[in-house]
Amino acid sequence: MTEAVKIAQQYYDGNETDRMYAAIWGGEHIHYGIYNQPDEAIHDASLRTVETIAQTLEKIDKNSRVIDLGAGYGGAARYLAKTYGCSVCCLNLSQLQNQRNSQLNQEQNLSHLVEVTQGSFEDISYPDNFFDIVWSQDAIVHSGDRRLVFQEIKRVLKPGGELIFTDLMQSETCPPGTLQSAFDRLRINDMASYRFYSQTAKELGFEELNFIDLSQNVPIHYRRFEEEVQKRYNEVVKLTSTAFVDQTLNSIQPWIERYEEGYMQWGILHFRLLENS
């Protein structure tokens, strides 16, 4: 496990971080949303992201075996299991998130379709050629060796299988050092770019099917997050602390600014592993 992954585990296993995500994001998802309206509920926009990713897939049905890398609370896995009847493995570092995920699976009678496994996407604990679909939302940014993640994805994915993910990326035009204040919030050292992911996938035998740029949603998402925290400030402070809430509100401003300046990207990247790779 790289140092970056260990840091991510500490971040998401923090009680205050977990409680804030669970309260503000709606309890199912902790990923960016796709917004039809700037005042839309975070939960609804986050669910729309899952629906959009699923609809982008070429094939998913009850026979599909899916792995979600960095699955968080498992909202995507439960959506896929309920909608398509497929089996989903949630691979995720955070014990707190995994406990909530397992609890929600039991409450929604989905434990027979959704498996929760603690682990890292830099060392995926499943056999070769095991999955039809590899799915991930806003997680690979936390890796210290993203090429290694892609190598692991290739190993566990069946030839002809689909890789689909969203991630936080820096644009090609971003000047060096511009994103440091944003990096500090997630305790990361750098970000990949769309070009890096596209080239790495091609080098490892993937065919690119789609890139859907959804960057314009990120400032909306953080503004909605900010509004919700301020509206429910006293409630969130009781769950966490005044210092944590104030620090979080301050730390999201660079994300809004850098996305509006065009220095960061977010979108859906979609690849197929070639049969002969």
Side-chain angles (χ1 to χ4, degrees):
M1 191 187 297
T2 63
E3 188 63 28
V5 169
K6 291 177 185 174
I7 290 168
Q9 184 174 18
Q10 291 167 2
Y11 176 78
Y12 287 107
D13 264 338
N15 279 314
E16 291 180 317
T17 303
D18 183 68
R19 288 170 188 162
M20 177 173 276
Y21 274 126
I24 300 299
W25 247 264
E28 287 269 353
H29 309 279
I30 52 169
H31 314 294
Y32 290 150
I34 297 174
Y35 290 79
N36 284 345
Q37 304 292 335
D39 59 349
E40 196 166 7
I42 292 173
H43 174 274
D44 296 348
S46 299
L47 176 58
R48 185 175 296 112
T49 301
V50 174
E51 293 169 341
T52 304
I53 298 171
Q55 289 159 9
T56 304
L57 287 165
E58 292 195 329
K59 183 183 179 185
I60 182 169
D61 57 30
K62 62 180 172 54
N63 298 314
S64 300
R65 188 182 277 162
V66 184
I67 185 168
D68 184 353
L69 304 179
Y73 296 136
R78 284 184 292 279
Y79 172 82
L80 295 175
K82 281 188 277 195
T83 306
Y84 302 100
C86 58
S87 62
V88 188
C89 167
C90 294
L91 184 72
N92 197 60
L93 281 172
S94 167
Q95 291 179 325
L96 283 175
Q97 292 176 352
N98 291 344
Q99 288 165 7
R100 181 178 179 83
N101 189 351
S102 297
Q103 180 186 343
L104 290 168
N105 294 336
Q106 289 177 343
E107 290 172 0
Q108 298 178 34
N109 298 315
L110 289 169
S111 296
H112 63 296
L113 288 176
V114 181
E115 177 181 75
V116 182
T117 301
Q118 185 177 20
S120 165
F121 43 45
E122 293 179 352
D123 183 16
I124 300 172
S125 54
Y126 285 89
D128 297 359
N129 309 324
F130 195 71
F131 294 101
D132 302 288
I133 297 163
V134 174
W135 171 298
S136 184
Q137 288 179 259
D138 309 344
I140 300 175
V141 68
H142 288 291
S143 172
D145 189 343
R146 298 179 186 107
R147 186 179 180 87
L148 175 61
V149 176
F150 268 63
Q151 289 169 336
E152 278 291 274
I153 288 169
K154 178 182 179 179
R155 182 183 65 75
V156 300
L157 191 58
K158 294 176 184 176
E162 294 178 68
L163 162 62
I164 195 160
F165 69 99
T166 60
D167 205 21
L168 296 61
M169 298 172 283
Q170 67 179 54
S171 66
E172 303 299 336
T173 58
C174 182
T178 307
L179 300 182
Q180 191 56 53
S181 56
F183 292 166
D184 289 344
R185 175 174 168 260
L186 294 184
R187 305 179 202 167
I188 56 177
N189 294 320
D190 60 12
M191 279 181 180
S193 63
Y194 160 69
R195 180 187 291 175
F196 170 84
Y197 284 137
S198 181
Q199 289 180 347
T200 302
K202 187 176 181 180
E203 288 166 9
L204 292 175
F206 288 86
E207 171 191 10
E208 185 166 347
L209 301 176
N210 225 331
F211 173 54
I212 305 170
D213 193 322
L214 298 164
S215 303
Q216 72 277 8
N217 289 279
V218 179
I220 301 171
H221 185 87
Y222 277 121
R223 285 207 173 89
R224 284 294 298 114
F225 177 79
E226 185 177 33
E227 288 164 5
E228 282 297 310
V229 172
Q230 288 174 339
K231 185 169 74 175
R232 298 163 59 188
Y233 187 86
N234 291 334
E235 173 196 344
V236 179
V237 163
K238 285 178 186 174
L239 292 170
T240 58
S241 67
T242 304
F244 181 82
V245 173
D246 292 346
Q247 181 186 359
T248 301
L249 289 173
N250 289 332
S251 70
I252 65 175
Q253 292 307 317
W255 290 78
I256 294 171
E257 292 164 10
R258 298 299 92 81
Y259 270 98
E260 288 183 335
E261 290 163 352
Y263 293 145
M264 296 167 82
Q265 278 187 294
W266 177 69
I268 300 170
L269 296 92
H270 186 201
F271 302 92
R272 183 195 295 114
L273 182 59
L274 294 171
E275 295 282 352
N276 57 357
S277 62

